[in-house]
Amino acid sequence: MYFALICRDKPGHLEIRKANREAHLSYVAETAVVAQAGPFLDDAGDMCGSLVILDVADKAAAEAWATNDPYAGAGLFESVTVQAWKKVVG
């Protein structure tokens, strides 16, 4: 089952994102449940959030993944929404 994580960074936290990016990408690789992912960009082209599509058993698994993401541990996010998602195209 797919779940979309829609994560918005706290304002002024770009350096926190950059400092934790390697750990986040390692977590993505190690967990092997990310179907698609990438950062949102602000008007200046800087990263300001994330869209992560997870392929997991249920919402609890998606929430657990989000909680254990190094970005979350670093306090990067202002908000995280976990939403069931149905792939139709792509």
Side-chain angles (χ1 to χ4, degrees), residues 43-57:
D43 291 341
D46 291 325
M47 296 176 288
C48 63
S50 300
L51 173 62
V52 181
I53 306 296
L54 300 175
D55 186 357
V56 293

Side-chain angles (χ1 to χ4, degrees), residues 8 10 24 30-31 33 42 47 50 53-54 64 66 73-75 84 88:
R8 300 290 181 183
K10 292 176 183 171
H24 166 74
E30 291 166 9
T31 57
V33 296
D42 64 16
M47 296 176 288
S50 300
I53 306 296
L54 300 175
V88 175

